[in-house]
Amino acid sequence: MAKDPVRVLVTGAAGQIGYAIVPMIARGAMLGPDQPVILHMLDIEPAAESLNGVKMELIDAAFPLLKGVVATTDVQEACKGVNVAVMVGGFPRKEGMERKDVMSKNVSIYKVQASALEKNAAADVKVLVVANPANTNALILKEFAPSIPEKNITCLTRLDHNRALGQISEKLNVHVGDVKNVIIWGNHSSTQYPDVNHATVTTSGGEKPVRELVANDQWLNTEFITTVQQRGAAIIKARKLSSALSAASSACDHIRDWVLGTPKGSWVSMGVYSDGSYGIQPGLVYSFPVTCEKGQWSIVQGLKIDEFSRGKLDATAQELIEERSLAHSCLN
């Protein structure tokens, strides 16, 4: 029997990531090849004409799974009945801007969008925040959408997770699909900690630890970490534009695994509400290793954290505590 369409909101839909993600969603990359979708696209008034152009292209592409398109600059209309919300829209940091200025702009954007979701979205809406600072934007969104369960508000660190997989695959000259269980801990910022201590590679001789195969702790503890942390900046330098297709693709991965489940024996990284696991202050939105089943995520428990990792986990948590204070000072 044909499934009912799922309504998917993309904010900032006329922007780079928006333009990359909407065809992926319409093709089934996010919710599966048999799940019809209705796309809700929101952007700001100055982008209205461009947004309409994206809608025209979606119609022209004749996607079999796409059952409707709402393109609007009205946040209330955009949020009406949505089941999944991908929050790409935000205020980008411009040259000469202080961090607090960017935070202040984003706090006001997320306050408005949170209220609109609270009022109009489906009761079980799943929210993914992509716009930076993603962890803190997610925290603000939760504060202004109290009826949305905290388990339903997440932020994107899957891009960092996928970048870590890519770096290991390149280093070992193996297929990226054979590498699993890297972890991104903490903030989606340059303090994040890409951790390979539990990661494995499927080889002809079975699963082998990444550390054993790389056999270069110096590289894994320095260059590998900084490459993943600073990959976004490297892409801006190369393209003169920020990551768009990789961000869009990883956002689809994040929602797909959340909704449809993670493969047995493997986990992914998601920015989720801390419950105190691994000594991280409860209530922060922090990236943890998670498994997903039946539309629910669970933090992977019992992983051994060495002294080097402990320092990294705490440092990125500290940055998130500072960001939260900064965000709250913008509200007052």
PDB file of all heavy atoms in Angstrom, residues 196-218:
ATOM      1  N   VAL A 196      39.114   7.940  16.835  1.00  0.00           N
ATOM      2  CA  VAL A 196      39.138   6.657  16.098  1.00  0.00           C
ATOM      3  C   VAL A 196      39.448   5.475  17.012  1.00  0.00           C
ATOM      4  O   VAL A 196      39.681   4.368  16.534  1.00  0.00           O
ATOM      5  CB  VAL A 196      40.175   6.679  14.949  1.00  0.00           C
ATOM      6  CG1 VAL A 196      39.809   7.703  13.902  1.00  0.00           C
ATOM      7  CG2 VAL A 196      41.587   6.911  15.464  1.00  0.00           C
ATOM      8  N   ASN A 197      39.437   5.696  18.319  1.00  0.00           N
ATOM      9  CA  ASN A 197      39.858   4.631  19.237  1.00  0.00           C
ATOM     10  C   ASN A 197      38.972   3.387  19.191  1.00  0.00           C
ATOM     11  O   ASN A 197      39.389   2.316  19.629  1.00  0.00           O
ATOM     12  CB  ASN A 197      39.920   5.158  20.677  1.00  0.00           C
ATOM     13  CG  ASN A 197      41.089   6.110  20.866  1.00  0.00           C
ATOM     14  OD1 ASN A 197      42.135   5.925  20.255  1.00  0.00           O
ATOM     15  ND2 ASN A 197      40.907   7.142  21.677  1.00  0.00           N
ATOM     16  N   HIS A 198      37.752   3.538  18.687  1.00  0.00           N
ATOM     17  CA  HIS A 198      36.818   2.398  18.648  1.00  0.00           C
ATOM     18  C   HIS A 198      36.462   2.041  17.202  1.00  0.00           C
ATOM     19  O   HIS A 198      35.612   1.190  16.969  1.00  0.00           O
ATOM     20  CB  HIS A 198      35.557   2.740  19.453  1.00  0.00           C
ATOM     21  CG  HIS A 198      35.867   3.296  20.809  1.00  0.00           C
ATOM     22  ND1 HIS A 198      36.166   2.510  21.893  1.00  0.00           N
ATOM     23  CD2 HIS A 198      35.994   4.581  21.245  1.00  0.00           C
ATOM     24  CE1 HIS A 198      36.447   3.281  22.933  1.00  0.00           C
ATOM     25  NE2 HIS A 198      36.348   4.538  22.558  1.00  0.00           N
ATOM     26  N   ALA A 199      37.111   2.728  16.251  1.00  0.00           N
ATOM     27  CA  ALA A 199      36.774   2.553  14.837  1.00  0.00           C
ATOM     28  C   ALA A 199      37.449   1.306  14.266  1.00  0.00           C
ATOM     29  O   ALA A 199      38.543   0.924  14.704  1.00  0.00           O
ATOM     30  CB  ALA A 199      37.204   3.786  14.049  1.00  0.00           C
ATOM     31  N   THR A 200      36.767   0.706  13.304  1.00  0.00           N
ATOM     32  CA  THR A 200      37.308  -0.504  12.664  1.00  0.00           C
ATOM     33  C   THR A 200      37.196  -0.407  11.144  1.00  0.00           C
ATOM     34  O   THR A 200      36.437   0.397  10.613  1.00  0.00           O
ATOM     35  CB  THR A 200      36.549  -1.770  13.117  1.00  0.00           C
ATOM     36  OG1 THR A 200      35.170  -1.628  12.751  1.00  0.00           O
ATOM     37  CG2 THR A 200      36.651  -2.014  14.609  1.00  0.00           C
ATOM     38  N   VAL A 201      37.985  -1.268  10.485  1.00  0.00           N
ATOM     39  CA  VAL A 201      37.921  -1.408   9.024  1.00  0.00           C
ATOM     40  C   VAL A 201      37.657  -2.873   8.713  1.00  0.00           C
ATOM     41  O   VAL A 201      38.277  -3.764   9.303  1.00  0.00           O
ATOM     42  CB  VAL A 201      39.257  -0.974   8.361  1.00  0.00           C
ATOM     43  CG1 VAL A 201      39.191  -1.167   6.849  1.00  0.00           C
ATOM     44  CG2 VAL A 201      39.581   0.472   8.695  1.00  0.00           C
ATOM     45  N   THR A 202      36.709  -3.102   7.815  1.00  0.00           N
ATOM     46  CA  THR A 202      36.438  -4.474   7.376  1.00  0.00           C
ATOM     47  C   THR A 202      37.481  -4.848   6.322  1.00  0.00           C
ATOM     48  O   THR A 202      37.582  -4.188   5.282  1.00  0.00           O
ATOM     49  CB  THR A 202      35.017  -4.588   6.796  1.00  0.00           C
ATOM     50  OG1 THR A 202      34.084  -4.128   7.781  1.00  0.00           O
ATOM     51  CG2 THR A 202      34.677  -6.018   6.413  1.00  0.00           C
ATOM     52  N   THR A 203      38.281  -5.861   6.629  1.00  0.00           N
ATOM     53  CA  THR A 203      39.311  -6.327   5.692  1.00  0.00           C
ATOM     54  C   THR A 203      39.010  -7.777   5.310  1.00  0.00           C
ATOM     55  O   THR A 203      38.095  -8.397   5.872  1.00  0.00           O
ATOM     56  CB  THR A 203      40.711  -6.276   6.352  1.00  0.00           C
ATOM     57  OG1 THR A 203      40.748  -7.273   7.391  1.00  0.00           O
ATOM     58  CG2 THR A 203      40.996  -4.918   6.980  1.00  0.00           C
ATOM     59  N   SER A 204      39.788  -8.304   4.394  1.00  0.00           N
ATOM     60  CA  SER A 204      39.580  -9.716   3.990  1.00  0.00           C
ATOM     61  C   SER A 204      39.800 -10.649   5.179  1.00  0.00           C
ATOM     62  O   SER A 204      39.264 -11.754   5.230  1.00  0.00           O
ATOM     63  CB  SER A 204      40.524 -10.089   2.847  1.00  0.00           C
ATOM     64  OG  SER A 204      41.847  -9.722   3.195  1.00  0.00           O
ATOM     65  N   GLY A 205      40.575 -10.182   6.171  1.00  0.00           N
ATOM     66  CA  GLY A 205      40.824 -10.997   7.358  1.00  0.00           C
ATOM     67  C   GLY A 205      39.912 -10.651   8.524  1.00  0.00           C
ATOM     68  O   GLY A 205      40.244 -10.928   9.671  1.00  0.00           O
ATOM     69  N   GLY A 206      38.784  -9.973   8.247  1.00  0.00           N
ATOM     70  CA  GLY A 206      37.840  -9.601   9.301  1.00  0.00           C
ATOM     71  C   GLY A 206      37.995  -8.140   9.703  1.00  0.00           C
ATOM     72  O   GLY A 206      38.697  -7.373   9.041  1.00  0.00           O
ATOM     73  N   GLU A 207      37.315  -7.758  10.794  1.00  0.00           N
ATOM     74  CA  GLU A 207      37.372  -6.364  11.252  1.00  0.00           C
ATOM     75  C   GLU A 207      38.658  -6.098  12.028  1.00  0.00           C
ATOM     76  O   GLU A 207      38.997  -6.835  12.935  1.00  0.00           O
ATOM     77  CB  GLU A 207      36.152  -6.055  12.134  1.00  0.00           C
ATOM     78  CG  GLU A 207      34.908  -5.798  11.326  1.00  0.00           C
ATOM     79  CD  GLU A 207      33.749  -5.244  12.156  1.00  0.00           C
ATOM     80  OE1 GLU A 207      33.945  -4.942  13.346  1.00  0.00           O
ATOM     81  OE2 GLU A 207      32.656  -5.113  11.589  1.00  0.00           O
ATOM     82  N   LYS A 208      39.344  -5.028  11.646  1.00  0.00           N
ATOM     83  CA  LYS A 208      40.597  -4.662  12.311  1.00  0.00           C
ATOM     84  C   LYS A 208      40.491  -3.225  12.851  1.00  0.00           C
ATOM     85  O   LYS A 208      39.905  -2.364  12.188  1.00  0.00           O
ATOM     86  CB  LYS A 208      41.762  -4.717  11.309  1.00  0.00           C
ATOM     87  CG  LYS A 208      42.027  -6.103  10.728  1.00  0.00           C
ATOM     88  CD  LYS A 208      42.975  -6.890  11.624  1.00  0.00           C
ATOM     89  CE  LYS A 208      43.085  -8.360  11.249  1.00  0.00           C
ATOM     90  NZ  LYS A 208      43.701  -8.572   9.940  1.00  0.00           N
ATOM     91  N   PRO A 209      41.083  -2.957  14.026  1.00  0.00           N
ATOM     92  CA  PRO A 209      41.049  -1.593  14.561  1.00  0.00           C
ATOM     93  C   PRO A 209      41.795  -0.607  13.656  1.00  0.00           C
ATOM     94  O   PRO A 209      42.864  -0.928  13.124  1.00  0.00           O
ATOM     95  CB  PRO A 209      41.764  -1.707  15.915  1.00  0.00           C
ATOM     96  CG  PRO A 209      41.788  -3.165  16.233  1.00  0.00           C
ATOM     97  CD  PRO A 209      41.776  -3.893  14.931  1.00  0.00           C
ATOM     98  N   VAL A 210      41.231   0.575  13.508  1.00  0.00           N
ATOM     99  CA  VAL A 210      41.852   1.623  12.687  1.00  0.00           C
ATOM    100  C   VAL A 210      43.257   1.948  13.213  1.00  0.00           C
ATOM    101  O   VAL A 210      44.206   2.070  12.427  1.00  0.00           O
ATOM    102  CB  VAL A 210      40.962   2.893  12.656  1.00  0.00           C
ATOM    103  CG1 VAL A 210      41.753   4.122  12.201  1.00  0.00           C
ATOM    104  CG2 VAL A 210      39.768   2.679  11.731  1.00  0.00           C
ATOM    105  N   ARG A 211      43.402   2.074  14.535  1.00  0.00           N
ATOM    106  CA  ARG A 211      44.723   2.414  15.097  1.00  0.00           C
ATOM    107  C   ARG A 211      45.794   1.410  14.686  1.00  0.00           C
ATOM    108  O   ARG A 211      46.916   1.784  14.368  1.00  0.00           O
ATOM    109  CB  ARG A 211      44.657   2.477  16.626  1.00  0.00           C
ATOM    110  CG  ARG A 211      44.332   3.868  17.097  1.00  0.00           C
ATOM    111  CD  ARG A 211      44.836   4.198  18.481  1.00  0.00           C
ATOM    112  NE  ARG A 211      44.289   5.487  18.875  1.00  0.00           N
ATOM    113  CZ  ARG A 211      44.843   6.655  18.628  1.00  0.00           C
ATOM    114  NH1 ARG A 211      45.989   6.744  17.999  1.00  0.00           N
ATOM    115  NH2 ARG A 211      44.260   7.783  19.004  1.00  0.00           N
ATOM    116  N   GLU A 212      45.417   0.137  14.696  1.00  0.00           N
ATOM    117  CA  GLU A 212      46.364  -0.934  14.347  1.00  0.00           C
ATOM    118  C   GLU A 212      46.752  -0.827  12.863  1.00  0.00           C
ATOM    119  O   GLU A 212      47.919  -0.965  12.503  1.00  0.00           O
ATOM    120  CB  GLU A 212      45.675  -2.273  14.640  1.00  0.00           C
ATOM    121  CG  GLU A 212      46.545  -3.497  14.489  1.00  0.00           C
ATOM    122  CD  GLU A 212      45.719  -4.768  14.702  1.00  0.00           C
ATOM    123  OE1 GLU A 212      45.136  -4.920  15.796  1.00  0.00           O
ATOM    124  OE2 GLU A 212      45.615  -5.571  13.759  1.00  0.00           O
ATOM    125  N   LEU A 213      45.784  -0.561  12.013  1.00  0.00           N
ATOM    126  CA  LEU A 213      46.043  -0.512  10.567  1.00  0.00           C
ATOM    127  C   LEU A 213      46.816   0.741  10.168  1.00  0.00           C
ATOM    128  O   LEU A 213      47.702   0.686   9.316  1.00  0.00           O
ATOM    129  CB  LEU A 213      44.730  -0.591   9.778  1.00  0.00           C
ATOM    130  CG  LEU A 213      43.984  -1.932   9.852  1.00  0.00           C
ATOM    131  CD1 LEU A 213      42.635  -1.830   9.165  1.00  0.00           C
ATOM    132  CD2 LEU A 213      44.791  -3.055   9.215  1.00  0.00           C
ATOM    133  N   VAL A 214      46.469   1.879  10.777  1.00  0.00           N
ATOM    134  CA  VAL A 214      47.186   3.126  10.449  1.00  0.00           C
ATOM    135  C   VAL A 214      48.617   3.049  11.001  1.00  0.00           C
ATOM    136  O   VAL A 214      49.574   3.490  10.349  1.00  0.00           O
ATOM    137  CB  VAL A 214      46.441   4.364  11.008  1.00  0.00           C
ATOM    138  CG1 VAL A 214      47.294   5.632  10.872  1.00  0.00           C
ATOM    139  CG2 VAL A 214      45.119   4.559  10.260  1.00  0.00           C
ATOM    140  N   ALA A 215      48.735   2.472  12.202  1.00  0.00           N
ATOM    141  CA  ALA A 215      50.042   2.253  12.838  1.00  0.00           C
ATOM    142  C   ALA A 215      50.876   3.537  12.891  1.00  0.00           C
ATOM    143  O   ALA A 215      52.071   3.533  12.622  1.00  0.00           O
ATOM    144  CB  ALA A 215      50.808   1.128  12.123  1.00  0.00           C
ATOM    145  N   ASN A 216      50.186   4.646  13.184  1.00  0.00           N
ATOM    146  CA  ASN A 216      50.883   5.932  13.296  1.00  0.00           C
ATOM    147  C   ASN A 216      50.075   6.810  14.253  1.00  0.00           C
ATOM    148  O   ASN A 216      49.262   7.634  13.833  1.00  0.00           O
ATOM    149  CB  ASN A 216      51.009   6.577  11.908  1.00  0.00           C
ATOM    150  CG  ASN A 216      51.780   7.886  11.939  1.00  0.00           C
ATOM    151  OD1 ASN A 216      51.989   8.472  13.008  1.00  0.00           O
ATOM    152  ND2 ASN A 216      52.206   8.357  10.779  1.00  0.00           N
ATOM    153  N   ASP A 217      50.301   6.606  15.554  1.00  0.00           N
ATOM    154  CA  ASP A 217      49.547   7.351  16.568  1.00  0.00           C
ATOM    155  C   ASP A 217      49.797   8.851  16.466  1.00  0.00           C
ATOM    156  O   ASP A 217      48.901   9.648  16.740  1.00  0.00           O
ATOM    157  CB  ASP A 217      49.907   6.861  17.984  1.00  0.00           C
ATOM    158  CG  ASP A 217      49.199   5.552  18.325  1.00  0.00           C
ATOM    159  OD1 ASP A 217      48.363   5.111  17.506  1.00  0.00           O
ATOM    160  OD2 ASP A 217      49.478   4.978  19.387  1.00  0.00           O
ATOM    161  N   GLN A 218      51.002   9.211  16.081  1.00  0.00           N
ATOM    162  CA  GLN A 218      51.333  10.627  15.936  1.00  0.00           C
ATOM    163  C   GLN A 218      50.375  11.289  14.934  1.00  0.00           C
ATOM    164  O   GLN A 218      49.795  12.344  15.209  1.00  0.00           O
ATOM    165  CB  GLN A 218      52.804  10.754  15.476  1.00  0.00           C
ATOM    166  CG  GLN A 218      53.268  12.163  15.117  1.00  0.00           C
ATOM    167  CD  GLN A 218      53.225  13.137  16.310  1.00  0.00           C
ATOM    168  OE1 GLN A 218      53.172  12.719  17.461  1.00  0.00           O
ATOM    169  NE2 GLN A 218      53.229  14.427  16.018  1.00  0.00           N
TER     170      GLN A 218
END
